[in-house]
Amino acid sequence: MHRFANPARFLKIARPLTGWLFWPGLALMLAGCACGLWLTPADYLQGQTVRILYIHVPAAWLGMGGWTGIAIAALMQLVWRHPLAAVAGRAIAAPGALFTAICLATGSIWGRPTWGTWWEWDGRMTSILVLLFLYLGYIALANASARQGAGQGGVSTVTAIFGLVGAINIPIINRSVVWWNSLHQGPSITMRGSSIDMAILWPLGLTLLGFTLWFGAIVLMRMRAILAQNKVEARMQRLARG
């Protein structure tokens, strides 16, 4: 990974890769949502509300995946001192928080007609809410360290440790419906297969892939923006010293 430690080398790859991820991702997202809305049948129990899974499931996946990316970036920053690791962590945080919020919102919308309530303090929903608070805390710490002129791309060691420790919540989210009695349905897609009928399942693959590619494009765009901002700030500091 240190081959890409040079920002110029990274940007040479990131610029074209952003477009390659963004536009196919957007096309798959729209195709999956359109197919899920108009081509798939209603669920025999959940009725039309099942269609929200085409946004809810990718949002949950990216909320957890985003924090996993932050934890990996934090590990690379703390152990290997990779110069772009902190930049990656900062870039992931905002879209990760957004998708976590979308997961909570769509889950509440789905829960109202299904459970008769907008919110229930069960294991899955509570741990996802904790994840959102973790994102907000990471963003606040990263912004504070950036204002103080911290090294490593503006992310302090404390922020990186916070990102690494917060990863404890990811397996809790994943296993919460197994460990505790929960209103939330159990795992629908596992290594053994899926309990979702194929007539409803196939558009989900499109939206999962599409949202994932789109998320990757957003992270690359934010990394490029952070690197550009760092370059401008470094130039201003040189001018001020001169």
Side-chain angles (χ1 to χ4, degrees):
M1 293 302 296
H2 278 276
R3 290 178 56 198
F4 308 106
N6 186 294
R9 185 177 299 168
F10 168 78
L11 290 172
K12 186 177 179 180
I13 298 172
R15 287 190 185 101
L17 186 59
T18 301
W20 297 342
L21 294 177
F22 185 89
W23 295 112
L26 183 61
L28 287 170
M29 283 166 46
L30 295 176
C33 289
C35 293
L37 283 174
W38 294 301
L39 297 184
T40 60
D43 184 72
Y44 75 103
L45 285 177
Q46 300 177 36
Q48 300 295 341
T49 59
V50 73
R51 303 186 192 280
I52 205 166
L53 72 87
Y54 300 116
I55 295 177
H56 176 71
V57 173
W61 157 256
L62 291 172
M64 292 188 292
W67 195 274
T68 303
I70 287 176
I72 293 172
L75 184 66
M76 294 181 68
Q77 176 183 340
L78 294 170
V79 177
W80 292 285
R81 303 296 180 183
H82 195 290
L84 291 180
V87 175
R90 285 181 62 192
I92 292 169
L98 174 62
F99 278 104
T100 303
I102 292 173
C103 172
L104 288 169
T106 52
S108 294
I109 294 170
W110 177 82
R112 182 65 181 88
T114 305
W115 301 332
T117 180
W118 294 100
W119 184 262
E120 185 68 29
W121 292 97
D122 80 333
R124 173 59 61 84
M125 288 180 280
T126 303
S127 55
I128 288 287
L129 181 62
V130 169
L131 179 62
L132 179 59
F133 291 152
L134 287 171
Y135 271 118
L136 297 178
Y138 182 93
I139 292 170
L141 285 172
N143 289 341
S145 59
R147 286 194 299 268
Q148 293 170 3
Q152 295 291 328
V155 173
S156 65
T157 300
V158 172
T159 308
I161 293 173
F162 180 83
L164 199 57
V165 173
I168 296 172
N169 192 43
I170 300 302
I172 294 174
I173 295 172
N174 181 260
R175 304 303 294 171
S176 57
V177 293
V178 177
W179 291 341
W180 300 298
N181 185 27
S182 173
L183 279 176
H184 195 286
Q185 67 191 64
S188 300
I189 302 174
T190 65
M191 297 296 293
R192 299 178 182 177
S194 171
S195 60
I196 304 174
D197 189 272
M198 186 55 66
I200 296 175
L201 179 64
W202 65 269
L204 181 59
L206 298 179
T207 56
L208 271 172
L209 180 57
F211 273 104
T212 302
L213 293 177
W214 208 50
F215 186 90
I218 292 171
V219 171
L220 287 177
M221 285 189 285
R222 285 180 52 79
M223 289 184 70
R224 290 165 57 191
I226 291 169
L227 288 172
Q229 181 182 5
N230 291 345
K231 186 176 181 180
V232 170
E233 290 176 353
R235 184 176 301 171
M236 294 297 292
Q237 289 175 1
R238 287 196 300 268
L239 291 173
R241 289 195 297 267

